[in-house]
Every structure is written in C-alpha cells, then in structure tokens.
Amino acid sequence: MKTLTLDDQTYRRLSSVLSDMMHAKGHDVDYGDVINELINVYQDSITFSGENAGG
C-alpha cells in the first residue's frame, strides 16, 4: 500500500482552514470535515459557473 504525503505548504493551508472551521463552527472538526467542505465549495462553484455559462 502506497503512503500519501502532503507537502509542508499544503499541510499548513489545510491546518489553517481546519482552525478557521473549528472557530466558526464552535466545535471540533477533523481533516475529513475540511476536505469535504472544500469539495462542497468546489462543486458549488462548478455548478454555479455552469449555470451562467449558457448565457
């Protein structure tokens, strides 16, 4: 099984988002929550931009 690693900059950015989410939500979150939130925001932005692409 291959082990995946994050570079230091990516880890720091995810840690910063994790900290912001914990502060905003007022409870503990983990990296899985951060990644899911980032995916949701990305998918929403794709959907939104796709709706506007038709004119």
Side-chain angles (χ1 to χ4, degrees), residues 15-51:
S15 294
S16 176
V17 173
L18 176 70
S19 178
D20 290 347
M21 283 179 64
M22 285 174 52
H23 179 74
K25 293 184 181 282
H27 60 83
D28 288 341
V29 295
D30 61 20
Y31 285 105
D33 297 326
V34 173
I35 292 169
N36 286 331
E37 183 68 19
L38 292 171
I39 290 169
N40 290 341
V41 169
Y42 174 75
Q43 288 176 333
D44 289 347
S45 72
I46 294 299
T47 301
F48 180 73
S49 66
E51 290 174 355

Side-chain angles (χ1 to χ4, degrees), residues 3-26:
T3 302
L4 299 176
T5 58
L6 296 174
D7 64 26
D8 289 339
Q9 181 180 6
T10 302
Y11 178 76
R12 286 192 303 268
R13 292 174 73 186
L14 282 174
S15 294
S16 176
V17 173
L18 176 70
S19 178
D20 290 347
M21 283 179 64
M22 285 174 52
H23 179 74
K25 293 184 181 282

